[in-house]
Amino acid sequence: MPEKDYYKILEVEKNASQEEIKKAFRQLARKYHPDLNQHTKEAEEKFKEINEAFQVLGNEKKKAQYDRGESESFNPGASQGFRSTGFNFEDLFSDLRGEDFFNRGGGQEREDYVSGADLQYNLEITLEEAFSGTKKVFEMPISEICKTCKGIGAEEKDLKVCSTCEGTGKIKHARRNSFIQFLGISACTTCGGLGKVATKYCENCKGKGKVKKNQKIEVTIPKGVNSGQYLRLEGKGEPGRNASAGDLFVVIHVAPNHLFKREEENLFLEKKIDLATAIFGGSIDIQGIDKKLKLKIPDGTESHTFFKLKKQGMPFLDSRKRGDLFIKIIVEIPKLGKDKEKTFKQFIG
């Protein structure tokens, strides 16, 4: 057998049928095609090697010679590229109609298969709603397929065959590298891949194929949600062309609260107490996020002292666990009249 193992290169067994060889070649050719691996020398060399192997194994007569070890018949310089094998290069991509092939490969996106765009909606909620979770209903303008022209942009009677692509919706472009000619296929820029052009635009959508319509959206906000987090509503975005609709991302913004400041799952508040409570101690009422709480103040408490009430903060996202509540004590110093000032000085002296 010749030095190069063409069966190994195409990843097939020696007893593989022509159909199996062709299938293996198609898969490898897609993977290493230079149009999909631009500026990658290794892929180009691999592609040439795959082509060389298929030149031989894809031809019954040459395959038989190869199996007999007649290696002189397989000089790579004798190769004339794909077209010499009788293999239709366009068939490489003929079964990819359902895939966004050109978009994934870095080439031009197929205009006749365009996924719907994603949308974003900024939703403001209160801290209390973030604590307990809530349901919200809002309206926003979302495009829908025009019912008059069914998304084409013109009625059927106002369409004619595109002269650029002759109705196929695709144009071919070729480039040659050494002895191999690479044939690419992309959407026709004249008709956008539809194969037809409008002589008169649809009056309902003005040729856009879509119309804006206010739609009611209902979302369930989980407890513990924080600003910047979002909900993804699959398929609620812009409609696609022969493809699925995009998604709607509802971004949460928790409004500032007059009483609490929030840091992740912890809450912070300031509480003023009188001088007597700071000196002698006592018990004070604290308004928590969901209920009233009692806080014991020890005697001799200084202003700006922090106290922590465990598990009285915000819940962790959609969980039973909670953060803590931190209370910053502010001691109020009363203004004293002359009579009270004398009494106070005697008291602390």
Side-chain angles (χ1 to χ4, degrees), residues 2-247:
E3 184 179 347
K4 283 191 177 181
D5 189 342
Y6 289 147
Y7 292 103
K8 185 176 181 180
I9 291 172
L10 290 183
E11 301 176 7
V12 296
E13 299 294 333
K14 187 175 180 180
N15 59 354
S17 66
Q18 283 295 305
E19 188 60 35
E20 290 172 330
I21 291 171
K22 181 179 178 181
K23 182 179 179 181
F25 167 70
R26 286 159 62 93
Q27 291 174 342
L28 291 171
R30 290 192 201 120
K31 181 177 179 181
Y32 294 103
H33 190 275
D35 281 351
L36 306 185
N37 298 274
Q38 296 182 14
H39 312 300
T40 305
K41 187 68 177 178
E42 293 79 4
E44 186 173 319
E45 292 301 322
K46 181 69 175 177
F47 188 73
K48 289 179 182 179
E49 192 177 47
I50 293 165
N51 176 48
E52 180 185 329
F54 183 70
Q55 293 267 351
V56 175
L57 299 186
N59 183 296
E60 291 281 9
K61 183 178 178 180
K62 290 184 178 181
K63 180 177 182 295
Q65 291 177 321
Y66 175 78
D67 290 341
R68 291 196 298 269
E70 300 175 9
S71 59
E72 65 276 8
S73 301
F74 310 111
N75 179 4
S79 173
Q80 298 299 315
F82 281 109
R83 308 189 79 80
S84 66
T85 67
F87 181 82
N88 185 357
F89 183 72
E90 189 172 343
D91 285 346
L92 265 180
F93 310 114
S94 62
D95 59 348
L96 295 175
R97 298 182 185 276
E99 299 180 30
D100 194 4
F101 172 73
F102 290 98
N103 193 37
R104 289 189 294 108
Q108 181 175 345
E109 182 177 327
R110 291 180 56 175
E111 295 296 332
D112 59 338
Y113 186 92
V114 182
S115 297
D118 295 332
L119 297 177
Q120 177 178 318
Y121 184 85
N122 296 312
L123 179 63
E124 185 174 87
I125 62 174
T126 65
L127 184 66
E128 289 78 11
E129 289 172 329
F131 173 82
S132 59
T134 184
K135 284 188 177 181
K136 288 286 186 179
V137 178
F138 58 88
E139 282 192 358
M140 68 175 296
I142 299 178
S143 294
E144 62 179 25
I145 297 296
C146 176
K147 295 179 180 178
T148 304
C149 66
K150 298 180 175 60
I152 298 175
E155 296 186 56
E156 191 65 34
K157 61 184 178 64
D158 297 320
L159 293 172
K160 68 175 184 178
V161 174
C162 175
S163 59
T164 303
C165 65
E166 299 180 345
T168 64
K170 301 176 179 65
I171 55 176
K172 302 173 184 178
H173 51 86
R175 68 181 179 88
R176 182 172 293 278
N177 187 344
S178 184
F179 56 85
I180 301 177
Q181 178 173 283
F182 301 114
L183 178 64
I185 304 172
S186 59
C188 175
T189 55
T190 302
C191 64
L194 295 175
K196 296 180 180 180
V197 292
T199 58
K200 179 184 176 183
Y201 288 127
C202 171
E203 294 183 359
N204 186 42
C205 67
K206 309 304 179 187
K208 295 180 179 179
K210 302 175 185 178
V211 290
K212 291 282 187 181
K213 185 178 180 181
N214 279 345
Q215 296 187 27
K216 281 189 175 181
I217 306 293
E218 181 176 323
V219 292
T220 299
I221 310 296
K223 61 182 180 178
V225 70
N226 207 343
S227 290
Q229 294 177 326
Y230 61 85
L231 302 170
R232 177 189 175 195
L233 304 182
E234 189 174 354
K236 295 294 184 180
E238 294 281 339
R241 180 191 293 172
N242 299 323
S244 57
D247 300 329

